[in-house]
């Protein structure tokens, strides 16, 4: 079955720390990968996406992610987090029927 | 302003009553989706529609029903058969026909509480 695994359900960091959130997927078809973010009280919004080309993709607010095909991974990174990055982060992959398959989410708390 | 509208933001119902959640989009997207979001479970797909007058069950369709009579509208009815209806419901839309990438755009959600 197609699935997406996010390794950490909760992450707590101090401001200026570096961030890496893990995402692994199981799907052998053409890859469309996404990271979404849900800030407290706000819409779920797209952070970045990969569908072809350079495996290192840059998104909004200084986030980036690297697609590593051999590892079926699409980890999210940010070199220096801010308090405003406190949010829930979701990884998703396009499945065989064009639907998105979602990870369980990672709640990120940044301590000021 | 293009986007997805969900109403109401909060909804309260008594057990045994059906309730309909509204979702409207003006992005001219072909496909629309309903998800349920519960803490620690990510987003679970209830129903989706890739074209007007057609829709498909998602992973947790039991106790829910939908219609897609217009491209811009995809209402969700939570029926009394849904055993645990209290949740946060998200509506989304995306391009489908001829799309290169299938990112979905989300509405603000409706929090339904059934007592």
């Amino acid at each position: 079955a197609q699935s997406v695994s996010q390794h950490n359900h909760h992450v707590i960091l101090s401001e200026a720390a570096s961030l890496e959130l893990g995402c692994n997927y199981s799907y052998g078809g053409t890859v469309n990968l996404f990271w979404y973010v849900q800030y407290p009280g706000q819409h779920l919004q797209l952070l970045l996406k990969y569908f072809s080309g350079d495996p290192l993709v840059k998104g909004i607010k200084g986030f980036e992610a690297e697609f590593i095909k051999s590892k079926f991974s699409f980890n999210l990174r940010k070199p220096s987090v801010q308090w405003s990055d406190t949010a829930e982060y979701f990884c998703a992959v396009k499945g065989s029927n064009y639907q998105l398959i979602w990870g369980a989410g990672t709640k990120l708390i940044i301590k000021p | 302003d293009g986007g997805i509208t969900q109403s109401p933001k909060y909804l309260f119902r008594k057990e045994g009553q059906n309730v309909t959640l509204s979702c409207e989009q003006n992005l001219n997207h072909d496909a629309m989706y309903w998800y349920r979001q519960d803490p620690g479970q990510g987003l679970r797909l209830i129903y989706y529609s890739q074209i007007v007058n057609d829709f498909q069950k998602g992973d947790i369709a039991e106790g829910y029903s939908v219609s897609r009579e217009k491209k811009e509208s995809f209402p969700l009815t939570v029926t009394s058969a849904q055993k645990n209806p209290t949740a946060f419901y998200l509506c989304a839309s995306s391009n489908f026909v001829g799309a290169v990438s299938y990112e979905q755009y989300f509405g603000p959600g409706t929090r339904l509480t059934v007592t």
Side-chain angles (χ1 to χ4, degrees):
Chain A
Q2 299 160 5
S3 65
V4 174
S5 175
Q6 291 183 239
H7 309 304
N8 307 99
H9 292 299
H10 293 89
V11 173
I12 301 174
L13 295 172
S14 297
E15 274 195 313
S18 64
L19 170 72
E20 181 160 3
L21 301 182
C23 174
N24 286 90
Y25 62 94
S26 64
Y27 175 61
T30 303
V31 174
N32 247 198
L33 295 160
F34 308 88
W35 275 97
Y36 280 80
V37 60
Q38 191 173 33
Y39 297 105
Q42 294 190 27
H43 296 204
L44 202 64
Q45 58 184 283
L46 182 68
L47 202 53
L48 48 77
K49 65 183 180 184
Y50 170 83
F51 57 92
S52 67
D54 189 342
L56 183 63
V57 292
K58 295 196 184 296
I60 60 172
K61 305 189 181 189
F63 285 91
E64 65 179 31
E66 185 175 14
F67 167 53
I68 302 179
K69 188 174 181 180
S70 60
K71 294 185 178 179
F72 295 91
S73 71
F74 191 54
N75 292 353
L76 181 70
R77 301 194 292 244
K78 186 171 184 179
S80 177
V81 294
Q82 303 170 311
W83 177 79
S84 58
D85 293 324
T86 294
E88 191 160 16
Y89 294 81
F90 294 93
C91 181
V93 61
K94 177 184 72 69
S96 58
N97 61 353
Y98 303 98
Q99 305 317 307
L100 295 191
I101 302 161
W102 296 83
T106 297
K107 285 192 176 174
L108 175 65
I109 297 172
I110 307 299
K111 297 184 294 183
Chain B
D1 234 358
I4 299 175
T5 304
Q6 289 185 246
S7 61
K9 189 171 181 180
Y10 299 95
L11 192 53
F12 298 88
R13 280 293 182 270
K14 295 286 187 188
E15 200 172 314
Q17 293 178 335
N18 291 356
V19 59
T20 297
L21 281 57
S22 164
C23 178
E24 304 278 330
Q25 56 101 357
N26 61 4
L27 299 169
N28 200 33
H29 284 163
D30 307 305
M32 296 187 74
Y33 312 82
W34 274 106
Y35 291 95
R36 173 179 169 139
Q37 186 179 13
D38 296 286
Q41 297 194 52
L43 276 68
R44 293 185 291 168
L45 184 64
I46 303 172
Y47 268 98
Y48 65 99
S49 167
Q50 293 169 337
I51 194 169
V52 175
N53 291 322
D54 188 50
F55 48 83
Q56 307 295 329
K57 292 182 180 179
D59 301 318
I60 56 164
E62 186 175 345
Y64 299 98
S65 66
V66 293
S67 63
R68 185 91 186 275
E69 296 175 1
K70 297 186 296 182
K71 187 175 184 178
E72 57 271 20
S73 179
F74 191 42
L76 172 75
T77 297
V78 184
T79 76
S80 56
Q82 168 48 233
K83 293 177 184 175
N84 186 19
T86 294
F88 189 53
Y89 291 89
L90 286 167
C91 179
S93 70
S94 73
N95 284 316
F96 180 67
V97 177
V100 174
S101 178
Y102 294 87
E103 67 258 37
Q104 296 179 6
Y105 297 79
F106 284 83
T110 292
R111 188 165 297 280
L112 173 65
T113 302
V114 177
T115 57

